[in-house]
Coordinates of all heavy atoms in Angstrom, one line a residue:
M144 N 0.9 -1.2 0.0 CA 0.0 0.0 0.0 C 0.9 1.2 0.0 O 1.6 1.5 1.0 CB -0.9 0.0 1.2 CG -1.8 1.2 1.4 SD -3.1 1.0 2.6 CE -2.3 1.6 4.1
A145 N 0.9 2.0 -1.1 CA 1.6 3.2 -1.2 C 0.8 4.4 -0.7 O -0.3 4.5 -1.0 CB 2.0 3.5 -2.7
L146 N 1.4 5.2 0.2 CA 0.7 6.3 0.8 C 1.2 7.6 0.3 O 2.4 7.7 -0.1 CB 1.0 6.2 2.3 CG 0.3 5.1 3.1 CD1 0.7 5.1 4.5 CD2 -1.2 5.0 2.9
K147 N 0.4 8.6 0.2 CA 0.7 9.9 -0.2 C 0.1 10.9 0.9 O -0.9 10.7 1.5 CB 0.1 10.3 -1.5 CG 0.9 9.7 -2.7 CD 0.5 10.5 -3.9 CE 1.4 10.0 -5.1 NZ 2.4 10.9 -5.5
I148 N 0.8 12.0 1.0 CA 0.3 13.1 1.8 C -0.3 14.1 0.8 O 0.5 14.6 -0.1 CB 1.4 13.8 2.6 CG1 2.0 12.8 3.6 CG2 0.9 15.0 3.4 CD1 3.2 13.3 4.4
K149 N -1.6 14.3 0.8 CA -2.2 15.1 -0.2 C -3.3 15.9 0.4 O -3.7 15.8 1.5 CB -2.7 14.2 -1.3 CG -3.7 13.1 -1.0 CD -4.0 12.2 -2.2 CE -4.9 11.1 -1.9 NZ -5.2 10.3 -3.1
L150 N -3.9 16.8 -0.5 CA -5.0 17.7 -0.1 C -6.3 17.1 -0.4 O -6.5 16.5 -1.5 CB -4.8 19.1 -0.7 CG -3.6 19.8 -0.4 CD1 -3.6 21.1 -1.2 CD2 -3.4 20.1 1.0
Q151 N -7.2 17.2 0.5 CA -8.6 16.7 0.3 C -9.5 18.0 0.4 O -9.5 18.7 1.4 CB -8.9 15.7 1.4 CG -10.3 15.1 1.3 CD -10.5 14.1 2.4 OE1 -10.6 14.5 3.5 NE2 -10.6 12.8 2.1
R152 N -10.3 18.2 -0.7 CA -11.1 19.4 -0.8 C -12.4 19.3 0.0 O -13.0 18.2 0.0 CB -11.4 19.8 -2.2 CG -12.2 21.1 -2.2 CD -12.4 21.7 -3.5 NE -13.4 22.7 -3.4 CZ -13.3 23.9 -3.9 NH1 -12.3 24.2 -4.6 NH2 -14.3 24.8 -3.7
A153 N -12.7 20.3 0.7 CA -14.0 20.4 1.4 C -14.5 21.9 1.3 O -13.8 22.7 0.6 CB -13.8 20.0 2.9
G154 N -15.6 22.2 1.9 CA -16.0 23.6 1.8 C -17.0 23.8 0.7 O -17.3 22.9 -0.1
A155 N -17.5 25.0 0.6 CA -18.5 25.4 -0.4 C -17.9 25.9 -1.7 O -16.7 26.1 -1.7 CB -19.4 26.5 0.2
T156 N -18.7 26.1 -2.6 CA -18.3 26.7 -3.9 C -17.7 28.1 -3.7 O -18.2 28.9 -3.0 CB -19.4 26.8 -4.9 OG1 -20.1 25.5 -5.0 CG2 -19.0 27.2 -6.3
H157 N -16.5 28.3 -4.2 CA -15.7 29.5 -4.1 C -15.3 29.8 -2.7 O -14.8 30.9 -2.4 CB -16.5 30.7 -4.6 CG -17.0 30.6 -6.0 ND1 -16.1 30.5 -7.1 CD2 -18.2 30.5 -6.6 CE1 -16.8 30.3 -8.2 NE2 -18.1 30.3 -7.9
E158 N -15.4 28.9 -1.8 CA -14.9 29.0 -0.4 C -14.2 27.7 -0.1 O -14.7 26.9 0.8 CB -16.0 29.3 0.6 CG -16.6 30.7 0.5 CD -15.5 31.7 0.9 OE1 -14.7 31.5 1.7 OE2 -15.6 32.8 0.2
P159 N -13.1 27.4 -0.7 CA -12.4 26.1 -0.5 C -11.8 25.9 0.9 O -11.3 26.9 1.5 CB -11.3 26.0 -1.5 CG -11.0 27.4 -1.8 CD -12.3 28.2 -1.6
V160 N -11.8 24.7 1.4 CA -11.2 24.3 2.7 C -10.5 23.0 2.3 O -11.1 22.1 1.8 CB -12.1 24.1 3.8 CG1 -11.4 23.6 5.1 CG2 -12.8 25.4 4.2
Y161 N -9.2 23.0 2.6 CA -8.5 21.7 2.2 C -8.0 21.1 3.5 O -7.5 21.7 4.4 CB -7.3 22.0 1.4 CG -7.6 22.5 0.0 CD1 -7.7 23.9 -0.3 CD2 -8.0 21.6 -1.0 CE1 -8.0 24.3 -1.6 CE2 -8.4 22.1 -2.3 CZ -8.4 23.4 -2.5 OH -8.7 23.9 -3.8
R162 N -8.1 19.8 3.6 CA -7.6 19.0 4.7 C -6.3 18.4 4.1 O -6.3 17.8 3.0 CB -8.5 17.9 5.1 CG -9.8 18.3 5.7 CD -10.6 17.1 6.1 NE -12.0 17.6 6.5 CZ -13.1 17.2 5.9 NH1 -13.0 16.3 4.9 NH2 -14.2 17.7 6.2
V163 N -5.2 18.4 4.9 CA -4.0 17.7 4.6 C -4.1 16.4 5.2 O -4.2 16.2 6.4 CB -2.7 18.5 5.1 CG1 -1.5 17.8 4.7 CG2 -2.8 20.0 4.6
V164 N -4.1 15.3 4.4 CA -4.3 14.0 4.9 C -3.3 13.0 4.3 O -2.6 13.3 3.3 CB -5.7 13.5 4.5 CG1 -6.8 14.3 5.1 CG2 -5.9 13.4 2.9
V165 N -3.1 11.9 5.0 CA -2.4 10.8 4.5 C -3.4 9.8 4.0 O -4.3 9.3 4.7 CB -1.5 10.1 5.6 CG1 -0.8 8.9 5.1 CG2 -0.6 11.1 6.3
A166 N -3.2 9.4 2.7 CA -4.2 8.5 2.0 C -3.5 7.6 1.1 O -2.3 7.9 0.7 CB -5.3 9.3 1.3
E167 N -4.2 6.6 0.6 CA -3.6 5.7 -0.4 C -3.4 6.4 -1.7 O -4.3 7.2 -2.1 CB -4.6 4.5 -0.6 CG -4.1 3.6 -1.7 CD -4.1 2.1 -1.3 OE1 -4.8 1.8 -0.3 OE2 -3.5 1.3 -2.0
A168 N -2.3 6.2 -2.3 CA -1.9 7.0 -3.5 C -2.9 6.8 -4.7 O -3.2 7.7 -5.4 CB -0.5 6.6 -4.0
R169 N -3.5 5.6 -4.8 CA -4.4 5.3 -5.9 C -5.9 5.6 -5.6 O -6.7 5.4 -6.4 CB -4.3 3.8 -6.3 CG -2.8 3.5 -6.7 CD -2.7 2.1 -7.1 NE -3.3 1.9 -8.4 CZ -3.3 0.7 -9.0 NH1 -2.8 -0.3 -8.4 NH2 -3.9 0.6 -10.2
G170 N -6.1 6.1 -4.4 CA -7.5 6.4 -4.0 C -8.0 7.7 -4.5 O -7.2 8.5 -5.1
R171 N -9.3 8.0 -4.4 CA -9.9 9.2 -4.9 C -9.4 10.4 -4.1 O -9.0 10.3 -3.0 CB -11.4 9.1 -4.8 CG -12.0 8.2 -5.8 CD -13.5 8.3 -5.7 NE -13.9 6.9 -5.2 CZ -14.9 6.7 -4.5 NH1 -15.7 7.7 -4.1 NH2 -15.2 5.5 -4.2
R172 N -9.5 11.6 -4.7 CA -9.0 12.8 -4.0 C -9.7 13.0 -2.7 O -9.1 13.4 -1.7 CB -9.2 14.0 -5.0 CG -8.8 15.3 -4.3 CD -9.3 16.5 -5.1 NE -10.7 16.7 -5.0 CZ -11.4 17.7 -5.5 NH1 -10.8 18.6 -6.2 NH2 -12.7 17.8 -5.3
D173 N -11.0 12.9 -2.7 CA -11.8 13.1 -1.5 C -12.2 11.8 -0.8 O -13.2 11.8 -0.1 CB -13.0 13.9 -1.8 CG -12.7 15.3 -2.4 OD1 -11.5 15.8 -2.1 OD2 -13.4 15.9 -3.1
G174 N -11.5 10.7 -1.1 CA -11.9 9.4 -0.5 C -11.4 9.2 0.9 O -11.1 10.1 1.6
R175 N -11.3 7.9 1.3 CA -10.9 7.6 2.6 C -9.5 8.0 2.9 O -8.7 8.0 1.9 CB -11.0 6.1 2.9 CG -12.5 5.7 3.1 CD -12.5 4.2 3.6 NE -12.1 3.4 2.5 CZ -11.9 2.1 2.6 NH1 -12.1 1.5 3.8 NH2 -11.5 1.3 1.6
F176 N -9.1 8.3 4.1 CA -7.8 8.6 4.4 C -7.4 7.9 5.7 O -8.2 7.4 6.5 CB -7.6 10.1 4.6 CG -8.5 10.8 5.6 CD1 -8.1 10.9 6.9 CD2 -9.8 11.3 5.3 CE1 -8.9 11.5 7.9 CE2 -10.6 11.9 6.2 CZ -10.1 12.0 7.5
V177 N -6.1 7.8 5.9 CA -5.5 7.2 7.1 C -5.5 8.1 8.3 O -5.9 7.7 9.4 CB -4.1 6.6 6.8 CG1 -3.5 6.0 8.0 CG2 -4.1 5.7 5.6
E178 N -5.0 9.3 8.1 CA -4.9 10.3 9.2 C -5.0 11.7 8.6 O -4.4 12.0 7.6 CB -3.5 10.1 9.9 CG -3.4 11.0 11.1 CD -2.1 10.8 11.8 OE1 -1.3 9.8 11.5 OE2 -1.7 11.7 12.7
K179 N -5.6 12.6 9.4 CA -5.7 14.0 9.0 C -4.6 14.7 9.7 O -4.4 14.6 10.9 CB -7.1 14.5 9.5 CG -7.2 16.0 9.2 CD -8.6 16.5 9.7 CE -8.6 18.0 9.6 NZ -9.8 18.6 10.3
L180 N -3.8 15.4 9.0 CA -2.6 16.1 9.5 C -2.9 17.6 9.8 O -2.2 18.2 10.6 CB -1.4 16.0 8.6 CG -1.0 14.6 8.2 CD1 0.1 14.6 7.2 CD2 -0.6 13.8 9.5
G181 N -3.9 18.2 9.1 CA -4.1 19.6 9.3 C -5.1 20.1 8.3 O -5.7 19.4 7.6
T182 N -5.2 21.5 8.3 CA -6.1 22.1 7.4 C -5.4 23.3 6.7 O -4.5 23.9 7.3 CB -7.4 22.7 8.1 OG1 -7.0 23.6 9.1 CG2 -8.2 21.6 8.6
Y183 N -5.9 23.6 5.5 CA -5.3 24.8 4.8 C -6.5 25.6 4.2 O -7.4 25.1 3.5 CB -4.5 24.3 3.6 CG -4.0 25.4 2.7 CD1 -3.3 26.5 3.1 CD2 -4.2 25.2 1.3 CE1 -2.9 27.5 2.2 CE2 -3.8 26.2 0.4 CZ -3.1 27.3 0.9 OH -2.7 28.3 0.0
L184 N -6.6 26.9 4.6 CA -7.6 27.8 4.2 C -7.0 28.8 3.3 O -6.6 29.9 3.8 CB -8.3 28.4 5.4 CG -8.7 27.5 6.5 CD1 -9.1 28.3 7.8 CD2 -9.9 26.7 6.1
P185 N -7.0 28.6 2.0 CA -6.3 29.6 1.1 C -6.9 31.0 1.0 O -6.2 31.9 0.7 CB -6.4 28.9 -0.3 CG -7.6 27.9 -0.2 CD -7.6 27.5 1.3
K186 N -8.2 31.1 1.3 CA -8.9 32.4 1.2 C -8.8 33.2 2.5 O -9.2 34.4 2.6 CB -10.3 32.3 0.8 CG -10.4 31.9 -0.7 CD -11.7 32.3 -1.2 CE -11.6 32.4 -2.7 NZ -12.8 33.1 -3.3
Q187 N -8.2 32.6 3.6 CA -8.1 33.3 4.9 C -7.1 34.5 4.7 O -6.0 34.3 4.2 CB -7.6 32.3 5.9 CG -7.5 32.9 7.3 CD -8.8 33.2 8.0 OE1 -9.1 34.4 7.9 NE2 -9.4 32.2 8.5
K188 N -7.5 35.6 5.2 CA -6.7 36.8 5.1 C -5.5 36.8 6.1 O -4.4 37.2 5.7 CB -7.5 38.1 5.3 CG -8.6 38.2 4.3 CD -8.7 39.5 3.6 CE -9.9 39.7 2.9 NZ -9.8 39.5 1.5
D189 N -5.8 36.3 7.3 CA -4.7 36.2 8.3 C -3.8 35.0 8.0 O -4.2 33.9 8.0 CB -5.4 36.1 9.7 CG -4.4 36.1 10.8 OD1 -3.2 36.5 10.5 OD2 -4.8 35.8 11.9
E190 N -2.6 35.3 7.7 CA -1.6 34.3 7.3 C -1.4 33.3 8.4 O -1.1 32.1 8.1 CB -0.3 34.9 6.9 CG -0.4 35.8 5.7 CD 0.3 35.2 4.5 OE1 1.1 34.3 4.7 OE2 0.1 35.7 3.4
A191 N -1.5 33.7 9.6 CA -1.2 32.8 10.8 C -2.3 31.7 10.9 O -2.1 30.6 11.3 CB -1.1 33.6 12.1
K192 N -3.6 32.1 10.5 CA -4.7 31.1 10.6 C -4.9 30.4 9.3 O -5.7 29.5 9.2 CB -6.0 31.9 10.9 CG -6.0 32.5 12.2 CD -7.3 33.2 12.5 CE -7.3 33.9 13.9 NZ -8.5 34.7 14.1
Q193 N -4.1 30.7 8.2 CA -4.3 30.1 6.9 C -3.9 28.6 6.9 O -4.5 27.8 6.3 CB -3.5 30.8 5.9 CG -3.9 30.6 4.5 CD -3.2 31.5 3.5 OE1 -2.0 31.7 3.6 NE2 -3.9 32.1 2.6
L194 N -2.9 28.2 7.7 CA -2.4 26.9 7.6 C -2.2 26.3 9.1 O -1.5 27.0 9.9 CB -1.0 26.8 6.9 CG -0.3 25.5 6.9 CD1 -1.1 24.5 6.1 CD2 1.1 25.7 6.3
E195 N -2.8 25.2 9.4 CA -2.6 24.5 10.6 C -2.2 23.1 10.3 O -3.0 22.4 9.6 CB -3.9 24.5 11.4 CG -4.4 25.8 11.9 CD -5.7 25.8 12.6 OE1 -6.1 24.7 13.0 OE2 -6.4 26.8 12.8
L196 N -1.0 22.7 10.7 CA -0.4 21.5 10.2 C 0.4 20.9 11.4 O 1.2 21.6 12.0 CB 0.4 21.6 9.0 CG 1.0 20.4 8.4 CD1 -0.1 19.5 7.8 CD2 2.0 20.8 7.2
N197 N 0.2 19.6 11.6 CA 1.0 18.9 12.6 C 2.3 18.4 11.9 O 2.3 17.3 11.2 CB 0.2 17.7 13.2 CG 0.9 17.0 14.3 OD1 2.1 17.2 14.5 ND2 0.1 16.3 15.1
V198 N 3.4 19.2 12.0 CA 4.6 18.9 11.3 C 5.2 17.6 11.8 O 5.8 16.8 10.9 CB 5.6 20.1 11.4 CG1 6.9 19.8 10.7 CG2 4.9 21.3 10.9
E199 N 5.2 17.3 13.0 CA 5.8 16.1 13.6 C 5.2 14.8 12.9 O 5.9 13.9 12.6 CB 5.6 16.0 15.1 CG 6.4 17.1 15.9 CD 5.7 18.4 15.9 OE1 4.5 18.5 15.7 OE2 6.4 19.4 16.0
R200 N 3.8 14.8 12.8 CA 3.2 13.7 12.2 C 3.5 13.6 10.7 O 3.7 12.5 10.2 CB 1.7 13.7 12.4 CG 1.2 13.5 13.9 CD 1.7 12.2 14.4 NE 1.0 11.1 13.8 CZ 1.4 9.8 13.9 NH1 2.4 9.5 14.7 NH2 0.8 8.8 13.3
A201 N 3.6 14.7 10.0 CA 3.9 14.7 8.6 C 5.4 14.1 8.4 O 5.6 13.3 7.5 CB 3.9 16.1 8.1
E202 N 6.3 14.5 9.3 CA 7.6 14.0 9.2 C 7.7 12.5 9.5 O 8.4 11.7 8.9 CB 8.6 14.8 10.1 CG 8.8 16.2 9.6 CD 9.6 17.0 10.6 OE1 9.9 16.6 11.7 OE2 10.0 18.1 10.2
Y203 N 6.8 12.1 10.5 CA 6.7 10.6 10.8 C 6.3 9.9 9.5 O 6.9 8.8 9.2 CB 5.8 10.4 11.9 CG 5.4 8.9 12.0 CD1 6.2 7.9 12.5 CD2 4.1 8.5 11.5 CE1 5.9 6.6 12.5 CE2 3.8 7.2 11.5 CZ 4.7 6.2 12.0 OH 4.3 4.9 12.0
W204 N 5.2 10.3 8.9 CA 4.7 9.6 7.7 C 5.7 9.6 6.6 O 5.8 8.6 5.9 CB 3.3 10.2 7.3 CG 2.2 9.7 8.2 CD1 1.5 10.5 9.1 CD2 1.7 8.4 8.2 NE1 0.6 9.7 9.7 CE2 0.7 8.4 9.2 CE3 1.9 7.2 7.6 CZ2 -0.1 7.3 9.5 CZ3 1.2 6.1 7.9 CH2 0.2 6.1 8.8
M205 N 6.4 10.7 6.4 CA 7.4 10.7 5.4 C 8.6 9.7 5.7 O 9.1 9.1 4.8 CB 8.0 12.1 5.1 CG 7.0 13.0 4.4 SD 7.6 14.6 3.9 CE 7.8 15.4 5.4
S206 N 8.9 9.6 7.0 CA 9.9 8.7 7.4 C 9.6 7.2 7.1 O 10.4 6.4 6.9 CB 10.3 8.9 8.8 OG 9.3 8.3 9.7
V207 N 8.3 6.9 7.1 CA 7.8 5.5 6.9 C 7.4 5.3 5.4 O 6.9 4.2 5.1 CB 6.7 5.1 7.8 CG1 7.2 5.0 9.3 CG2 5.5 5.9 7.7
G208 N 7.7 6.3 4.6 CA 7.5 6.1 3.1 C 6.4 6.8 2.4 O 6.3 6.7 1.2
A209 N 5.7 7.7 3.1 CA 4.6 8.4 2.4 C 5.2 9.5 1.6 O 6.1 10.2 2.1 CB 3.6 9.0 3.5
K210 N 4.8 9.7 0.4 CA 5.3 10.7 -0.5 C 4.4 11.9 -0.5 O 3.2 11.7 -0.9 CB 5.5 10.2 -1.9 CG 6.3 8.9 -2.0 CD 7.8 9.3 -2.2 CE 8.6 8.1 -2.5 NZ 9.8 8.1 -1.9
P211 N 4.9 13.1 -0.2 CA 4.0 14.3 -0.3 C 3.8 14.7 -1.8 O 4.7 14.6 -2.6 CB 4.7 15.3 0.5 CG 6.1 14.9 0.5 CD 6.1 13.4 0.4
T212 N 2.6 15.2 -2.1 CA 2.4 15.8 -3.4 C 3.2 17.1 -3.5 O 3.7 17.6 -2.4 CB 0.9 16.0 -3.7 OG1 0.4 16.9 -2.8 CG2 0.2 14.7 -3.7
D213 N 3.3 17.8 -4.6 CA 4.0 19.0 -4.7 C 3.4 20.1 -3.8 O 4.2 20.8 -3.1 CB 4.0 19.5 -6.2 CG 4.9 18.6 -7.1 OD1 5.7 17.8 -6.6 OD2 4.6 18.6 -8.3
T214 N 2.1 20.2 -3.9 CA 1.5 21.3 -3.1 C 1.6 21.0 -1.6 O 1.9 21.9 -0.8 CB 0.0 21.4 -3.5 OG1 -0.1 21.6 -4.9 CG2 -0.7 22.5 -2.7
S215 N 1.4 19.7 -1.2 CA 1.5 19.4 0.2 C 2.9 19.5 0.7 O 3.2 19.9 1.9 CB 0.9 18.0 0.5 OG 1.6 17.0 -0.1
N216 N 3.9 19.3 -0.1 CA 5.3 19.4 0.2 C 5.6 20.9 0.5 O 6.3 21.2 1.5 CB 6.2 18.9 -0.9 CG 7.6 18.7 -0.4 OD1 7.9 18.5 0.8 ND2 8.5 18.8 -1.3
S217 N 5.1 21.8 -0.3 CA 5.3 23.2 -0.1 C 4.6 23.7 1.2 O 5.2 24.5 1.9 CB 4.9 24.0 -1.3 OG 3.5 24.0 -1.5
L218 N 3.5 23.1 1.5 CA 2.8 23.5 2.7 C 3.5 23.0 3.9 O 3.6 23.7 5.0 CB 1.3 23.0 2.7 CG 0.4 23.6 1.7 CD1 -1.0 22.9 1.8 CD2 0.2 25.1 2.0
I219 N 4.1 21.8 3.8 CA 4.9 21.3 5.0 C 6.2 22.2 5.2 O 6.5 22.5 6.3 CB 5.3 19.8 4.7 CG1 4.0 18.9 4.7 CG2 6.3 19.3 5.7 CD1 4.2 17.5 4.2
K220 N 6.8 22.6 4.1 CA 8.0 23.4 4.2 C 7.6 24.8 4.9 O 8.3 25.3 5.7 CB 8.6 23.7 2.9 CG 9.4 22.5 2.3 CD 10.0 22.9 1.0 CE 10.7 21.7 0.3 NZ 11.2 22.1 -1.0
R221 N 6.4 25.3 4.5 CA 6.0 26.6 5.0 C 5.7 26.4 6.5 O 6.0 27.3 7.3 CB 4.7 27.0 4.2 CG 4.1 28.3 4.7 CD 3.0 28.7 3.7 NE 2.0 29.5 4.4 CZ 0.9 29.8 3.9 NH1 0.5 29.4 2.7 NH2 0.0 30.5 4.6
A222 N 5.0 25.3 6.9 CA 4.7 25.1 8.3 C 6.0 24.9 9.1 O 6.0 25.4 10.3 CB 3.8 23.8 8.4
R223 N 7.0 24.3 8.6 CA 8.3 24.2 9.3 C 8.9 25.6 9.5 O 9.4 25.8 10.6 CB 9.3 23.4 8.4 CG 9.1 21.9 8.5 CD 10.2 21.2 7.7 NE 9.9 19.8 7.6 CZ 10.1 19.1 6.5 NH1 10.6 19.7 5.4 NH2 9.8 17.8 6.4
K224 N 8.9 26.4 8.5 CA 9.4 27.8 8.7 C 8.6 28.6 9.7 O 9.2 29.3 10.6 CB 9.3 28.6 7.4 CG 10.3 28.2 6.3 CD 10.2 29.0 5.1 CE 11.2 28.5 4.0 NZ 11.0 29.3 2.8
E225 N 7.3 28.5 9.7 CA 6.5 29.1 10.7 C 6.8 28.6 12.1 O 6.8 29.4 13.1 CB 5.0 29.0 10.4 CG 4.5 29.8 9.2 CD 3.1 29.5 8.8 OE1 2.4 28.7 9.5 OE2 2.6 30.1 7.8
Q226 N 7.0 27.3 12.2 CA 7.3 26.7 13.5 C 8.6 27.2 14.0 O 8.8 27.4 15.2 CB 7.2 25.2 13.4 CG 7.2 24.4 14.7 CD 7.1 22.9 14.5 OE1 7.8 22.4 13.6 NE2 6.3 22.3 15.2
A227 N 9.6 27.3 13.1 CA 10.9 27.7 13.5 C 10.9 29.2 14.0 O 11.6 29.6 14.9 CB 11.9 27.5 12.4
A228 N 10.1 30.0 13.2 CA 10.0 31.4 13.6 C 9.3 31.6 14.9 O 9.7 32.4 15.7 CB 9.3 32.1 12.5
A229 N 8.3 30.8 15.2 CA 7.7 30.8 16.5 C 8.6 30.4 17.6 O 8.5 30.9 18.8 CB 6.4 30.0 16.5
A230 N 9.5 29.4 17.4 CA 10.4 29.0 18.4 C 11.4 30.0 18.7 O 11.9 30.1 19.9 CB 11.1 27.7 17.9
E231 N 11.8 30.8 17.7 CA 12.8 31.8 18.0 C 12.3 33.0 18.8 O 12.9 33.6 19.5 CB 13.4 32.4 16.6 CG 14.3 31.4 15.9 CD 14.7 32.0 14.6 OE1 14.4 33.1 14.2 OE2 15.5 31.3 13.9
A232 N 11.0 33.3 18.5 CA 10.4 34.5 19.2 C 10.0 34.2 20.6 O 10.2 33.3 21.3 CB 9.1 34.9 18.5

């Protein structure tokens, strides 16, 4: 079973809400998932509330072989930067 870290769309028309999930690579975009890692709200004006992601769990899943999609990989990198900036402050 190949796993991917990918985005699952939810929300209303023109108001997207994405869940960052670990799911089977061959499964549907909005199908079953193994674990929910966080949420991404692209239309949220406040950058701090736009992305909520459990970076530790994402790193765990990548360590056991889950491959992030391009978009989810960029969100994970962004969450790492935000977490490092919060630790410095």
Side-chain angles (χ1 to χ4, degrees):
M144 178 167 88
L146 295 175
K147 279 200 178 254
I148 300 174
K149 56 186 177 179
L150 299 179
Q151 185 180 62
R152 182 172 166 132
T156 307
H157 304 295
E158 287 298 324
V160 174
Y161 294 97
R162 295 183 190 121
V163 182
V164 298
V165 177
E167 177 134 13
R169 299 179 75 182
R171 287 184 246 148
R172 178 190 72 177
D173 298 335
R175 284 192 291 176
F176 58 89
V177 178
E178 183 178 350
K179 179 182 169 191
L180 301 177
T182 57
Y183 173 55
L184 308 167
K186 290 204 158 192
Q187 180 69 263
K188 302 230 191 261
D189 185 10
E190 297 248 345
K192 294 181 182 177
Q193 199 173 45
L194 177 64
E195 294 177 16
L196 184 66
N197 188 341
V198 178
E199 293 80 24
R200 292 301 293 168
E202 289 174 354
Y203 164 76
W204 281 108
M205 287 191 287
S206 73
V207 295
K210 304 272 188 220
T212 61
D213 292 339
T214 306
S215 62
N216 194 27
S217 67
L218 291 175
I219 292 168
K220 286 181 183 177
R221 182 173 151 190
R223 282 184 190 139
K224 285 182 185 178
E225 290 175 2
Q226 192 177 44
E231 288 179 3

